[in-house]
Amino acid sequence: MNGGPLEFHVAARSATTRARLGRITTPNGSFDTPAFMPVGTRGTVKGIPPNLVLETGAQIVLNNTYHLMLRPGSELIARLGGVHRFMNWPGPILTDSGGYQAFSLAQTNKVDADGVTFKSIVDGAMVRLTPERAMQVQNQLGADIIMALDDCPPSISPDAIAKTQRRDARLEGAVRRDQSRRAGYDHEARLNEANERTIRWLARCKVAHTRSADQALFGIIQGGTDLAKRSWCAERVCAIDLPGYAIGGVAVGESLEQIASVVSHTAPLMPDDKPRYLMGVGYERDLLAAVLAGVDMFDCVLPTRNGRNANAFTSGGQIRLRNSSFVADESPIEQGCDCHACDPGLYGWKTPDGLPFTRAYVRHLFMAGEMLGPILVSLHNLRHFQRFMLDIRNTIRDDDWPGLVGRWPVSAAGFPG
Ligand SMILES: [Zn+2]
């Protein structure tokens, strides 16, 4: 480290796409990019001890500021030595600003020019989040990478939602809450307002950030699915000198095409010599499309959320392990996977005869409500995404993208060729 809180080194570039292979160094260690960050919502990647998270290949995890500030509180975590020590994670950590959850989870929230006020999901108390408070909380938590507070508008207008085939409760809720505060909702005006606030709040975050020597602050680009508004916001966010930048407000109900369009438009507008982070994305096809557009960092709750529900990711798509077709299935969750569940022998976890846990056994665990079921499928899913990213990083060197899609048919929709 030479002075700053973060170093980004690009080691190789794809000759035919915008993808780049790199390494990011923070005060708590380095990680390879493109990187997939498992989400440790409340200071834990649900059900998986940190040493096993490491063994899935994850080099950095994300914690949600919203949850940690409400319980147990960032002041307490600071007193106990910071979030690395608190959760016993030895590597880099990224915290989000808390804004996204304040906008999307809270039953009642009120956003104004200065911040957002919401009702705590823990004890019902009213909580105020301003740019200054978001920085104070994240300075106390002490993650290596911290995020600016941004205004997160609904990504799609109510008219567009009414036209879509797919119903998305969270998206509809976000629009409803937003509409309830004004007569005659104007989506375009709301996007403009959010963009302007996002810029003003970012400038205030930069001023309020007290640990710029050891915590890297990233700014976030908003703008919904409107590419001109994305350009407007990207230009102003990236004009503020920061160690990295992110694309926010994506994968909150839009179609695959809309996500790809926003990301492939916005990523090239971000500085080439700094990390680009796509927040909250996503499925393999979305990850691949974003890597090809030049994005370096990702986070998503899918591996553990779906793992807890018996949905296992495989190279060919998800399988539902509660399905009765697996009742006597003696194969591992996925043949060829080297995770703790599919190939425990690899990790010295010697099972009798070195055999994997069978789909039949994993299904039984879920049907019986046993804790080990969600743990095994979460481990498999976490490893699935790390294996996918590892293969992507190798592919950036040799540029054989059709080969990658052949090994991961599930990602095909993200490949334009
Ligand atoms: Zn596996």
Side-chain angles (χ1 to χ4, degrees):
M1 307 291 300
N2 49 11
L6 179 146
E7 276 173 25
F8 178 48
H9 170 66
V10 175
R13 288 174 188 275
S14 156
T16 57
T17 74
R18 292 181 181 275
R20 65 255 191 100
L21 177 73
R23 193 162 175 81
I24 292 175
T25 302
T26 76
N28 284 283
S30 301
F31 58 96
D32 298 308
T33 61
F36 184 90
M37 303 182 276
V39 176
T41 306
R42 299 187 249 187
T44 162
V45 178
K46 286 189 196 299
I48 313 295
N51 62 318
L52 296 185
V53 175
L54 270 180
E55 285 178 16
T56 67
Q59 298 170 310
I60 170 172
V61 298
L62 178 146
N63 288 157
N64 287 130
T65 289
Y66 174 86
H67 293 282
L68 292 177
M69 76 182 279
L70 297 182
R71 182 172 52 196
S74 54
E75 289 80 4
L76 178 68
I77 290 177
R79 214 157 64 230
L80 296 174
V83 73
H84 297 84
R85 169 69 194 99
F86 190 56
M87 70 179 289
N88 257 352
W89 173 256
I93 296 177
L94 181 149
T95 48
D96 60 9
S97 70
Y100 176 72
Q101 277 81 17
F103 282 90
S104 64
L105 286 184
Q107 283 305 310
T108 53
N109 73 46
K110 187 178 157 299
V111 56
D112 55 50
D114 230 25
V116 55
T117 306
F118 59 93
K119 203 171 187 176
S120 162
I121 50 164
V122 173
D123 61 8
M126 293 311 288
V127 180
R128 178 85 174 142
L129 197 58
T130 61
E132 290 73 22
R133 178 63 180 151
M135 287 298 100
Q136 183 188 32
V137 170
Q138 291 186 85
N139 287 160
Q140 287 169 333
L141 294 174
D144 303 273
I145 300 174
I146 65 176
M147 303 302 298
L149 183 68
D150 56 341
D151 185 356
C152 315
S155 61
I156 303 178
S157 76
D159 297 345
I161 290 175
K163 283 189 204 123
T164 101
Q165 305 290 329
R166 223 156 30 93
R167 308 282 293 180
D168 186 304
R170 179 177 278 198
L171 194 62
E172 289 171 8
V175 173
R176 211 164 38 243
R177 280 194 299 277
D178 241 83
Q179 281 180 294
S180 68
R181 287 194 296 275
R182 67 201 74 219
Y185 176 81
D186 181 341
H187 187 62
E188 173 123 5
R190 179 69 185 95
L191 287 184
N192 286 337
E193 176 189 63
N195 259 355
E196 284 159 17
R197 265 188 202 144
T198 293
I199 308 294
R200 283 201 306 273
W201 290 1
L202 173 58
R204 283 169 56 180
C205 283
K206 194 179 176 189
V207 171
H209 178 25
T210 58
R211 292 181 59 179
S212 53
D214 65 342
Q215 290 186 290
L217 172 64
F218 281 24
I220 303 172
I221 297 162
Q222 287 288 345
T225 53
D226 184 321
L227 300 186
K229 294 193 198 313
R230 286 279 172 186
S231 296
W232 187 95
C233 197
E235 188 184 320
R236 285 155 185 82
V237 166
C238 299
I240 298 178
D241 184 32
L242 295 167
Y245 300 93
I247 304 173
V250 172
V252 286
E254 318 91 282
S255 67
L256 161 64
E257 294 73 24
Q258 284 173 315
I259 294 174
S261 147
V262 167
V263 173
S264 59
H265 172 81
T266 311
L269 304 176
M270 301 158 77
D272 183 64
D273 59 347
K274 293 185 176 170
R276 300 178 182 133
Y277 165 28
L278 177 59
M279 303 182 75
V281 171
Y283 289 98
E284 300 92 332
R285 57 175 199 221
D286 305 322
L287 299 175
L288 177 56
V291 164
L292 296 174
V295 176
D296 310 296
M297 297 167 59
F298 304 92
D299 76 280
C300 197
V301 296
L302 279 172
T304 43
R305 177 179 292 165
N306 288 16
R308 288 197 300 285
N309 292 312
N311 289 344
F313 285 88
T314 77
S315 57
Q318 288 187 65
I319 56 172
R320 297 173 184 278
L321 288 164
R322 283 179 187 272
N323 198 304
S324 58
S325 63
F326 299 123
V327 70
D329 192 331
E330 293 184 74
S331 52
I333 297 173
E334 183 173 19
Q335 204 74 50
C337 174
D338 60 3
C339 81
H340 281 290
C342 297
D343 194 353
L346 259 188
Y347 298 89
W349 234 32
K350 280 292 174 209
T351 54
D353 307 321
L355 293 174
F357 294 100
T358 60
R359 289 172 169 180
Y361 177 64
V362 175
R363 176 177 186 275
H364 156 71
L365 293 175
F366 275 96
M367 299 313 282
E370 284 293 337
M371 289 163 62
L372 188 57
I375 292 172
L376 289 178
V377 182
S378 294
L379 274 172
H380 166 82
N381 286 350
L382 288 166
R383 181 63 185 151
H384 167 87
F385 279 87
Q386 295 301 333
R387 286 170 58 227
F388 182 54
M389 297 316 286
L390 191 62
D391 205 351
I392 282 180
R393 293 198 293 266
N394 289 333
T395 302
I396 290 173
R397 286 194 188 280
D398 67 23
D399 247 350
D400 181 10
W401 299 99
L404 177 88
V405 173
R407 291 185 294 278
W408 303 88
V410 69
S411 70
F415 186 67

